[in-house]
Amino acid sequence: QAKVAGKSCYRFYSRVMDQAVERRVRMEQDLRGAWERGELSLAYQPLYRLSDGKLVGAEALLRWRHPEHGQVSPALFVDVAEQSGLIEAIGPQVLRAACMDARGWQRDLPGAQGLFVSVNVSPRQLRAGDLAATTEAVLRESGLAPQHLHIELTETAVIADEARVSSVLARLRNSGVKVWLDDFGTGFSGLSHLRRVPVDGVKIDRSFIADVLRDPDDLALTTAIIAMAHSLGIQVVAEGVEKEGQYAILRERGCDMAQGYWLGHPVANAEFKRLLA
Ligand code: C2E
Ligand code: MG
Ligand code: MG
Ligand code: MG
């Protein structure tokens, strides 16, 4: 009896697993050439400075409109692009498009000269080794000033090969590009890491911001991150601000910038430009 159950159990799981693998393989095939076919685009989510409430920049977020399935979540397809290596082709396109768009805001809209664009860079792109060169080429081509390009890395990307990553980051930062640690607080390294990895700031993960009004521990952690970051001379962004009360308390605690649905959703470039105008 147990043997039979075990066997069917095994079959069930292997089938479920096959389906998951199959889905990923199909997604990878569909993703190949998606940029060239115009299925990928960037959405921009505004970032606000808390001291004066000014819109100071935007995060570029990749969107995929699949011809049959419609919008696919980046949480799914970015991971597939990362695992398959496709990100090494898509990443530079994202970087280039974001810099071109940001240069466009600055050129076309009065008062937008100081805006920055913040681009997510995956662990694989960081390991590929040509990130600094690619970035320099894209900045030259777009005419965007280096300080108006921000790059967001995750802790896991940075931990993997600390010495090499640090030298890439040092080169980028020497050229004037700003480097942020994304989803901060979710990894294992935490603040001790900031002593060795050269970054300009951290983005507190939205899982901390979500309960900042209800959970005293999350508020204490958020406040501690802000205080320690500032004592190290780096800046802090809060992600996932969905309520006015969260915005108010972050401002009161001295957080530098914020983004979230309460402040603005990610929107296509044309709509972002209307928002700026
Ligand atoms: P992330 O870099 O942490 O980006 C923030 C995510 O939070 C975005 O999800 C954004 O739409 C979402 N968000 C913003 N405000 C709120 C809010 O108030 N509430 C909630 N619940 N969510 C909010 P999205 O666009 O689905 O992207 C998911 C992740 O995919 C990103 O997380 C990033 O890790 C990755 N990603 C997106 N675009 C790119 C890209 O161009 N390159 C790479 N390597 N990764 C990307
Ligand atoms: Mg990000
Ligand atoms: Mg994040
Ligand atoms: Mg996140």
Side-chain angles (χ1 to χ4, degrees), residues 5 30 37 62 93 116 134 140 146 152 172 178 186 188-189 192-193 201 214 230 234 238-239 242 254 267 271:
D30 290 354
R37 291 191 300 276
L62 196 53
Q93 309 273 25
F116 66 81
T134 304
R140 262 197 312 277
E152 301 186 9
L172 281 169
K178 303 259 181 282
T186 56
F188 296 104
S189 60
S192 65
H193 217 73
R214 268 182 315 214
H230 285 170
I234 67 177
E239 302 188 295
E242 296 183 349
V267 292
E271 197 176 334

PDB file of all heavy atoms in Angstrom, residues 5 30 37 62 93 116 134 140 146 152 172 178 186 188-189 192-193 201 214 230 234 238-239 242 254 267 271:
ATOM      1  N   ALA A   5       1.364   4.135  -2.882  1.00  0.00           N
ATOM      2  CA  ALA A   5       1.155   5.560  -2.605  1.00  0.00           C
ATOM      3  C   ALA A   5       2.423   6.343  -2.929  1.00  0.00           C
ATOM      4  O   ALA A   5       2.384   7.394  -3.560  1.00  0.00           O
ATOM      5  CB  ALA A   5       0.768   5.766  -1.142  1.00  0.00           C
ATOM      6  N   ASP A  30      10.044  32.106 -25.679  1.00  0.00           N
ATOM      7  CA  ASP A  30       9.235  33.273 -26.044  1.00  0.00           C
ATOM      8  C   ASP A  30       9.980  34.577 -25.787  1.00  0.00           C
ATOM      9  O   ASP A  30       9.783  35.576 -26.480  1.00  0.00           O
ATOM     10  CB  ASP A  30       7.913  33.276 -25.266  1.00  0.00           C
ATOM     11  CG  ASP A  30       6.982  32.164 -25.714  1.00  0.00           C
ATOM     12  OD1 ASP A  30       7.318  31.473 -26.697  1.00  0.00           O
ATOM     13  OD2 ASP A  30       5.930  31.981 -25.077  1.00  0.00           O
ATOM     14  N   ARG A  37      11.336  42.390 -31.046  1.00  0.00           N
ATOM     15  CA  ARG A  37       9.962  42.379 -31.559  1.00  0.00           C
ATOM     16  C   ARG A  37       9.087  43.452 -30.924  1.00  0.00           C
ATOM     17  O   ARG A  37       7.913  43.581 -31.247  1.00  0.00           O
ATOM     18  CB  ARG A  37       9.315  40.997 -31.299  1.00  0.00           C
ATOM     19  CG  ARG A  37       9.904  39.852 -32.113  1.00  0.00           C
ATOM     20  CD  ARG A  37       9.046  38.594 -32.013  1.00  0.00           C
ATOM     21  NE  ARG A  37       8.905  38.101 -30.643  1.00  0.00           N
ATOM     22  CZ  ARG A  37       9.803  37.310 -30.036  1.00  0.00           C
ATOM     23  NH1 ARG A  37      10.891  36.923 -30.694  1.00  0.00           N
ATOM     24  NH2 ARG A  37       9.621  36.916 -28.807  1.00  0.00           N
ATOM     25  N   LEU A  62      11.037  46.927 -16.051  1.00  0.00           N
ATOM     26  CA  LEU A  62      10.818  46.215 -17.308  1.00  0.00           C
ATOM     27  C   LEU A  62       9.414  45.608 -17.369  1.00  0.00           C
ATOM     28  O   LEU A  62       8.929  45.050 -16.383  1.00  0.00           O
ATOM     29  CB  LEU A  62      11.886  45.125 -17.425  1.00  0.00           C
ATOM     30  CG  LEU A  62      12.147  44.467 -18.780  1.00  0.00           C
ATOM     31  CD1 LEU A  62      12.422  45.493 -19.870  1.00  0.00           C
ATOM     32  CD2 LEU A  62      13.322  43.498 -18.653  1.00  0.00           C
ATOM     33  N   GLN A  93      20.105  46.702 -23.304  1.00  0.00           N
ATOM     34  CA  GLN A  93      19.019  47.405 -24.006  1.00  0.00           C
ATOM     35  C   GLN A  93      18.222  48.249 -23.020  1.00  0.00           C
ATOM     36  O   GLN A  93      17.837  49.388 -23.329  1.00  0.00           O
ATOM     37  CB  GLN A  93      18.059  46.399 -24.673  1.00  0.00           C
ATOM     38  CG  GLN A  93      18.724  45.353 -25.539  1.00  0.00           C
ATOM     39  CD  GLN A  93      18.929  45.840 -26.955  1.00  0.00           C
ATOM     40  OE1 GLN A  93      19.017  47.042 -27.211  1.00  0.00           O
ATOM     41  NE2 GLN A  93      19.011  44.908 -27.879  1.00  0.00           N
ATOM     42  N   PHE A 116      16.984  62.017 -12.220  1.00  0.00           N
ATOM     43  CA  PHE A 116      17.796  60.827 -12.465  1.00  0.00           C
ATOM     44  C   PHE A 116      16.901  59.656 -12.853  1.00  0.00           C
ATOM     45  O   PHE A 116      15.700  59.667 -12.584  1.00  0.00           O
ATOM     46  CB  PHE A 116      18.641  60.479 -11.231  1.00  0.00           C
ATOM     47  CG  PHE A 116      17.864  60.053 -10.021  1.00  0.00           C
ATOM     48  CD1 PHE A 116      17.388  58.748  -9.877  1.00  0.00           C
ATOM     49  CD2 PHE A 116      17.611  60.953  -8.984  1.00  0.00           C
ATOM     50  CE1 PHE A 116      16.674  58.351  -8.758  1.00  0.00           C
ATOM     51  CE2 PHE A 116      16.883  60.562  -7.849  1.00  0.00           C
ATOM     52  CZ  PHE A 116      16.417  59.272  -7.748  1.00  0.00           C
ATOM     53  N   THR A 134      29.992  49.049 -20.721  1.00  0.00           N
ATOM     54  CA  THR A 134      28.660  49.229 -21.329  1.00  0.00           C
ATOM     55  C   THR A 134      28.029  50.526 -20.851  1.00  0.00           C
ATOM     56  O   THR A 134      27.484  51.309 -21.642  1.00  0.00           O
ATOM     57  CB  THR A 134      27.722  48.055 -20.939  1.00  0.00           C
ATOM     58  OG1 THR A 134      28.346  46.830 -21.326  1.00  0.00           O
ATOM     59  CG2 THR A 134      26.368  48.167 -21.614  1.00  0.00           C
ATOM     60  N   ARG A 140      27.729  58.000 -23.007  1.00  0.00           N
ATOM     61  CA  ARG A 140      28.249  58.820 -24.119  1.00  0.00           C
ATOM     62  C   ARG A 140      27.199  58.966 -25.210  1.00  0.00           C
ATOM     63  O   ARG A 140      26.922  60.052 -25.691  1.00  0.00           O
ATOM     64  CB  ARG A 140      29.501  58.166 -24.717  1.00  0.00           C
ATOM     65  CG  ARG A 140      30.812  58.751 -24.206  1.00  0.00           C
ATOM     66  CD  ARG A 140      31.994  58.383 -25.115  1.00  0.00           C
ATOM     67  NE  ARG A 140      32.042  56.969 -25.442  1.00  0.00           N
ATOM     68  CZ  ARG A 140      32.596  56.034 -24.637  1.00  0.00           C
ATOM     69  NH1 ARG A 140      33.144  56.378 -23.495  1.00  0.00           N
ATOM     70  NH2 ARG A 140      32.595  54.763 -25.001  1.00  0.00           N
ATOM     71  N   PRO A 146      26.595  61.305 -15.910  1.00  0.00           N
ATOM     72  CA  PRO A 146      26.717  60.105 -15.064  1.00  0.00           C
ATOM     73  C   PRO A 146      25.940  60.195 -13.749  1.00  0.00           C
ATOM     74  O   PRO A 146      25.364  59.198 -13.302  1.00  0.00           O
ATOM     75  CB  PRO A 146      28.215  59.999 -14.791  1.00  0.00           C
ATOM     76  CG  PRO A 146      28.877  60.827 -15.824  1.00  0.00           C
ATOM     77  CD  PRO A 146      27.902  61.834 -16.327  1.00  0.00           C
ATOM     78  N   GLU A 152      20.726  49.908  -9.494  1.00  0.00           N
ATOM     79  CA  GLU A 152      20.241  49.173  -8.320  1.00  0.00           C
ATOM     80  C   GLU A 152      20.699  47.722  -8.372  1.00  0.00           C
ATOM     81  O   GLU A 152      20.441  47.020  -9.341  1.00  0.00           O
ATOM     82  CB  GLU A 152      18.705  49.217  -8.254  1.00  0.00           C
ATOM     83  CG  GLU A 152      18.160  50.626  -8.170  1.00  0.00           C
ATOM     84  CD  GLU A 152      16.646  50.670  -7.968  1.00  0.00           C
ATOM     85  OE1 GLU A 152      16.032  49.609  -7.715  1.00  0.00           O
ATOM     86  OE2 GLU A 152      16.087  51.781  -8.068  1.00  0.00           O
ATOM     87  N   LEU A 172      32.457  52.434 -11.603  1.00  0.00           N
ATOM     88  CA  LEU A 172      31.209  53.139 -11.911  1.00  0.00           C
ATOM     89  C   LEU A 172      31.081  54.406 -11.071  1.00  0.00           C
ATOM     90  O   LEU A 172      30.768  55.476 -11.580  1.00  0.00           O
ATOM     91  CB  LEU A 172      30.008  52.228 -11.642  1.00  0.00           C
ATOM     92  CG  LEU A 172      29.704  51.181 -12.710  1.00  0.00           C
ATOM     93  CD1 LEU A 172      28.680  50.178 -12.191  1.00  0.00           C
ATOM     94  CD2 LEU A 172      29.199  51.851 -13.988  1.00  0.00           C
ATOM     95  N   LYS A 178      25.626  56.645  -9.632  1.00  0.00           N
ATOM     96  CA  LYS A 178      25.272  56.324  -8.246  1.00  0.00           C
ATOM     97  C   LYS A 178      24.843  54.855  -8.143  1.00  0.00           C
ATOM     98  O   LYS A 178      24.154  54.338  -9.009  1.00  0.00           O
ATOM     99  CB  LYS A 178      24.118  57.209  -7.776  1.00  0.00           C
ATOM    100  CG  LYS A 178      24.419  58.700  -7.897  1.00  0.00           C
ATOM    101  CD  LYS A 178      24.811  59.294  -6.569  1.00  0.00           C
ATOM    102  CE  LYS A 178      25.092  60.770  -6.650  1.00  0.00           C
ATOM    103  NZ  LYS A 178      26.436  61.076  -7.231  1.00  0.00           N
ATOM    104  N   THR A 186      16.428  42.294   3.346  1.00  0.00           N
ATOM    105  CA  THR A 186      15.916  40.944   3.106  1.00  0.00           C
ATOM    106  C   THR A 186      17.045  39.921   3.021  1.00  0.00           C
ATOM    107  O   THR A 186      16.813  38.732   3.129  1.00  0.00           O
ATOM    108  CB  THR A 186      15.098  40.872   1.802  1.00  0.00           C
ATOM    109  OG1 THR A 186      15.918  41.331   0.727  1.00  0.00           O
ATOM    110  CG2 THR A 186      13.871  41.748   1.882  1.00  0.00           C
ATOM    111  N   PHE A 188      21.144  38.496   3.990  1.00  0.00           N
ATOM    112  CA  PHE A 188      21.736  38.006   5.226  1.00  0.00           C
ATOM    113  C   PHE A 188      22.820  38.926   5.773  1.00  0.00           C
ATOM    114  O   PHE A 188      23.127  38.916   6.929  1.00  0.00           O
ATOM    115  CB  PHE A 188      22.337  36.611   5.002  1.00  0.00           C
ATOM    116  CG  PHE A 188      21.313  35.591   4.643  1.00  0.00           C
ATOM    117  CD1 PHE A 188      21.171  35.151   3.336  1.00  0.00           C
ATOM    118  CD2 PHE A 188      20.454  35.085   5.611  1.00  0.00           C
ATOM    119  CE1 PHE A 188      20.212  34.216   3.011  1.00  0.00           C
ATOM    120  CE2 PHE A 188      19.487  34.157   5.295  1.00  0.00           C
ATOM    121  CZ  PHE A 188      19.362  33.722   3.986  1.00  0.00           C
ATOM    122  N   SER A 189      23.389  39.698   4.884  1.00  0.00           N
ATOM    123  CA  SER A 189      24.591  40.429   5.284  1.00  0.00           C
ATOM    124  C   SER A 189      24.272  41.656   6.128  1.00  0.00           C
ATOM    125  O   SER A 189      24.928  41.920   7.115  1.00  0.00           O
ATOM    126  CB  SER A 189      25.362  40.861   4.046  1.00  0.00           C
ATOM    127  OG  SER A 189      24.560  41.698   3.254  1.00  0.00           O
ATOM    128  N   SER A 192      26.595  45.331   8.117  1.00  0.00           N
ATOM    129  CA  SER A 192      28.033  45.101   8.230  1.00  0.00           C
ATOM    130  C   SER A 192      28.676  45.150   6.846  1.00  0.00           C
ATOM    131  O   SER A 192      29.820  45.560   6.680  1.00  0.00           O
ATOM    132  CB  SER A 192      28.297  43.738   8.866  1.00  0.00           C
ATOM    133  OG  SER A 192      27.830  42.718   8.009  1.00  0.00           O
ATOM    134  N   HIS A 193      27.890  44.737   5.854  1.00  0.00           N
ATOM    135  CA  HIS A 193      28.361  44.695   4.486  1.00  0.00           C
ATOM    136  C   HIS A 193      28.695  46.061   3.908  1.00  0.00           C
ATOM    137  O   HIS A 193      29.573  46.204   3.068  1.00  0.00           O
ATOM    138  CB  HIS A 193      27.248  44.078   3.642  1.00  0.00           C
ATOM    139  CG  HIS A 193      27.775  43.218   2.575  1.00  0.00           C
ATOM    140  ND1 HIS A 193      28.315  41.993   2.823  1.00  0.00           N
ATOM    141  CD2 HIS A 193      27.892  43.420   1.247  1.00  0.00           C
ATOM    142  CE1 HIS A 193      28.724  41.477   1.700  1.00  0.00           C
ATOM    143  NE2 HIS A 193      28.481  42.310   0.735  1.00  0.00           N
ATOM    144  N   GLY A 201      23.746  54.365  -1.499  1.00  0.00           N
ATOM    145  CA  GLY A 201      22.549  54.310  -0.673  1.00  0.00           C
ATOM    146  C   GLY A 201      21.907  52.941  -0.651  1.00  0.00           C
ATOM    147  O   GLY A 201      22.329  52.031  -1.367  1.00  0.00           O
ATOM    148  N   ARG A 214       2.014  49.670  12.034  1.00  0.00           N
ATOM    149  CA  ARG A 214       1.358  48.743  12.954  1.00  0.00           C
ATOM    150  C   ARG A 214       2.333  47.968  13.825  1.00  0.00           C
ATOM    151  O   ARG A 214       2.035  47.615  14.942  1.00  0.00           O
ATOM    152  CB  ARG A 214       0.541  47.718  12.149  1.00  0.00           C
ATOM    153  CG  ARG A 214      -0.902  48.133  11.920  1.00  0.00           C
ATOM    154  CD  ARG A 214      -1.600  47.031  11.178  1.00  0.00           C
ATOM    155  NE  ARG A 214      -0.749  46.554  10.091  1.00  0.00           N
ATOM    156  CZ  ARG A 214      -1.206  46.118   8.926  1.00  0.00           C
ATOM    157  NH1 ARG A 214      -2.495  46.066   8.702  1.00  0.00           N
ATOM    158  NH2 ARG A 214      -0.375  45.726   7.975  1.00  0.00           N
ATOM    159  N   HIS A 230      22.889  56.854   7.505  1.00  0.00           N
ATOM    160  CA  HIS A 230      23.332  58.247   7.578  1.00  0.00           C
ATOM    161  C   HIS A 230      24.671  58.377   8.285  1.00  0.00           C
ATOM    162  O   HIS A 230      25.510  59.190   7.894  1.00  0.00           O
ATOM    163  CB  HIS A 230      22.262  59.114   8.250  1.00  0.00           C
ATOM    164  CG  HIS A 230      21.094  59.382   7.342  1.00  0.00           C
ATOM    165  ND1 HIS A 230      19.933  59.963   7.764  1.00  0.00           N
ATOM    166  CD2 HIS A 230      20.925  59.136   6.014  1.00  0.00           C
ATOM    167  CE1 HIS A 230      19.082  60.067   6.741  1.00  0.00           C
ATOM    168  NE2 HIS A 230      19.669  59.568   5.670  1.00  0.00           N
ATOM    169  N   ILE A 234      25.617  57.480   3.742  1.00  0.00           N
ATOM    170  CA  ILE A 234      24.863  57.077   2.564  1.00  0.00           C
ATOM    171  C   ILE A 234      23.370  57.368   2.743  1.00  0.00           C
ATOM    172  O   ILE A 234      22.893  57.591   3.849  1.00  0.00           O
ATOM    173  CB  ILE A 234      25.087  55.585   2.211  1.00  0.00           C
ATOM    174  CG1 ILE A 234      24.510  54.677   3.278  1.00  0.00           C
ATOM    175  CG2 ILE A 234      26.574  55.292   1.998  1.00  0.00           C
ATOM    176  CD1 ILE A 234      24.640  53.209   2.939  1.00  0.00           C
ATOM    177  N   ALA A 238      12.806  54.575   0.725  1.00  0.00           N
ATOM    178  CA  ALA A 238      11.802  53.608   1.190  1.00  0.00           C
ATOM    179  C   ALA A 238      10.967  53.176  -0.001  1.00  0.00           C
ATOM    180  O   ALA A 238      10.461  54.007  -0.746  1.00  0.00           O
ATOM    181  CB  ALA A 238      10.920  54.225   2.266  1.00  0.00           C
ATOM    182  N   GLU A 239      10.838  51.855  -0.177  1.00  0.00           N
ATOM    183  CA  GLU A 239      10.032  51.314  -1.279  1.00  0.00           C
ATOM    184  C   GLU A 239       8.652  50.922  -0.761  1.00  0.00           C
ATOM    185  O   GLU A 239       8.506  50.563   0.399  1.00  0.00           O
ATOM    186  CB  GLU A 239      10.631  50.007  -1.795  1.00  0.00           C
ATOM    187  CG  GLU A 239      12.034  50.021  -2.285  1.00  0.00           C
ATOM    188  CD  GLU A 239      12.358  48.664  -2.934  1.00  0.00           C
ATOM    189  OE1 GLU A 239      12.364  47.636  -2.240  1.00  0.00           O
ATOM    190  OE2 GLU A 239      12.591  48.666  -4.160  1.00  0.00           O
ATOM    191  N   GLU A 242       2.468  52.951   0.438  1.00  0.00           N
ATOM    192  CA  GLU A 242       1.098  52.825  -0.075  1.00  0.00           C
ATOM    193  C   GLU A 242       0.113  53.702   0.675  1.00  0.00           C
ATOM    194  O   GLU A 242      -1.055  53.793   0.296  1.00  0.00           O
ATOM    195  CB  GLU A 242       0.642  51.353  -0.005  1.00  0.00           C
ATOM    196  CG  GLU A 242       1.474  50.437  -0.894  1.00  0.00           C
ATOM    197  CD  GLU A 242       0.978  48.994  -0.891  1.00  0.00           C
ATOM    198  OE1 GLU A 242       0.125  48.660  -0.049  1.00  0.00           O
ATOM    199  OE2 GLU A 242       1.458  48.221  -1.744  1.00  0.00           O
ATOM    200  N   GLY A 254      13.497  60.900   8.969  1.00  0.00           N
ATOM    201  CA  GLY A 254      14.650  61.400   8.226  1.00  0.00           C
ATOM    202  C   GLY A 254      15.037  60.600   6.996  1.00  0.00           C
ATOM    203  O   GLY A 254      16.139  60.759   6.457  1.00  0.00           O
ATOM    204  N   VAL A 267       4.496  53.857 -14.784  1.00  0.00           N
ATOM    205  CA  VAL A 267       3.725  54.174 -16.001  1.00  0.00           C
ATOM    206  C   VAL A 267       4.652  54.244 -17.212  1.00  0.00           C
ATOM    207  O   VAL A 267       5.863  54.449 -17.070  1.00  0.00           O
ATOM    208  CB  VAL A 267       2.968  55.520 -15.863  1.00  0.00           C
ATOM    209  CG1 VAL A 267       1.857  55.414 -14.818  1.00  0.00           C
ATOM    210  CG2 VAL A 267       3.922  56.671 -15.532  1.00  0.00           C
ATOM    211  N   GLU A 271       3.342  58.646 -20.513  1.00  0.00           N
ATOM    212  CA  GLU A 271       2.521  59.088 -19.381  1.00  0.00           C
ATOM    213  C   GLU A 271       3.385  59.729 -18.301  1.00  0.00           C
ATOM    214  O   GLU A 271       2.977  60.702 -17.661  1.00  0.00           O
ATOM    215  CB  GLU A 271       1.751  57.886 -18.821  1.00  0.00           C
ATOM    216  CG  GLU A 271       0.587  58.305 -17.931  1.00  0.00           C
ATOM    217  CD  GLU A 271      -0.235  57.129 -17.440  1.00  0.00           C
ATOM    218  OE1 GLU A 271      -0.257  56.074 -18.123  1.00  0.00           O
ATOM    219  OE2 GLU A 271      -0.859  57.259 -16.372  1.00  0.00           O
TER     220      GLU A 271
END
